[in-house]
């Protein structure tokens, strides 16, 4: 009963929708029809970026209201959100994951490590940035990027 009362008494927690983000829309995004299925790939991150991605889909930032939905399989995904520098062990799994996604598909590098290896540049176990392993269409800088920045990148893809 306490839980039901709490649900009843809690008002809307979602942040008001900010204005549409600026920036070009990748050409493939026009074929997605305003909604995308999103697969996350941790290629070697410290998990800071994962926490922010999880927050981007929580009730406060609510990326789903703009047409982005998390899925468990790359076979169902239009977009891959890739975090971390790509470790040697994750280079081939990342290539295979992206190859398993149907076309058109889009790869978003999330966080400084994904973009340029960040703190881990030069590390013995690091293969390289995400763009050294698979083609990257969009980048979200930051260490880690804020949830609203991740949502803004997804809105550029869905156009909503
Ligand atoms: S960008 Fe920062 S938070 Fe994200 S994986 Fe790298 S060190 Fe961690």
């Amino acid at each position: 009963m306490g839980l039901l009362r709490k649900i009843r008494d809690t008002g809307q927690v979602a942040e008001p929708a900010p204005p549409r983000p600026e920036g070009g829309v990748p050409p493939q995004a026009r074929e997605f029809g305003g909604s995308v299925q999103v697969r996350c790939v941790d290629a070697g991150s410290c998990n800071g970026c994962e926490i922010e991605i999880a927050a981007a889909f929580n009730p406060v930032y609510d990326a789903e209201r703009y047409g982005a939905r998390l899925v468990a399989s790359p076979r169902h995904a239009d977009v891959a959100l890739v975090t971390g520098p790509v470790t040697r062990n994750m280079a081939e799994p990342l290539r295979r994951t992206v190859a398993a996604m149907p076309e058109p598909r889009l790869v978003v590098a999330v966080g400084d490590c994904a973009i340029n290896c960040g703190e881990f540049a030069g590390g013995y176990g690091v293969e390289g940035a995400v763009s050294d392993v698979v083609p990257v269409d969009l980048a979200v800088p930051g260490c880690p990027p804020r949830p609203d920045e991740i949502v803004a990148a997804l809105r550029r893809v869905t156009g909503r």
Side-chain angles (χ1 to χ4, degrees):
M1 279 315 273
L3 179 61
L4 290 176
R5 200 171 301 121
K6 187 169 184 186
I7 291 170
R8 186 196 66 199
D9 294 344
T10 301
Q12 183 176 335
V13 296
E15 300 261 319
R20 282 266 295 276
E22 296 189 357
V25 176
Q28 310 93 302
R30 296 195 192 98
E31 298 183 47
F32 294 147
S35 83
V36 289
Q37 315 302 306
V38 180
R39 166 78 176 143
C40 296
V41 182
D42 175 352
S45 127
C46 75
N47 281 354
C49 285
E50 275 64 39
I51 291 171
E52 304 304 321
I53 290 173
F57 285 86
N58 75 14
V60 175
Y61 295 98
D62 198 10
E64 287 202 2
R65 69 182 142 164
Y66 305 113
R69 193 169 73 94
L70 292 172
V71 291
S73 167
R75 298 272 186 211
H76 302 157
D78 309 300
V79 173
L81 292 184
V82 187
T83 60
V86 184
T87 60
R88 292 189 199 285
N89 283 348
M90 277 303 293
E92 188 55 24
L94 175 59
R95 277 189 208 102
R96 288 189 196 183
T97 298
V98 172
M101 296 166 60
E103 295 195 28
R105 60 186 175 229
L106 234 141
V107 175
V108 182
V110 178
D112 290 347
C113 290
I115 296 168
N116 58 23
C117 298
E119 293 293 320
F120 301 102
Y124 73 94
V126 173
E127 178 91 4
V130 175
S131 61
D132 295 327
V133 179
V134 292
V136 169
D137 303 284
L138 270 179
V140 188
C143 179
R146 295 193 316 266
D148 55 314
E149 294 169 326
I150 297 167
V151 172
L154 291 169
R155 291 181 71 188
R156 282 177 60 192
V157 175
T158 63
R160 290 166 60 176

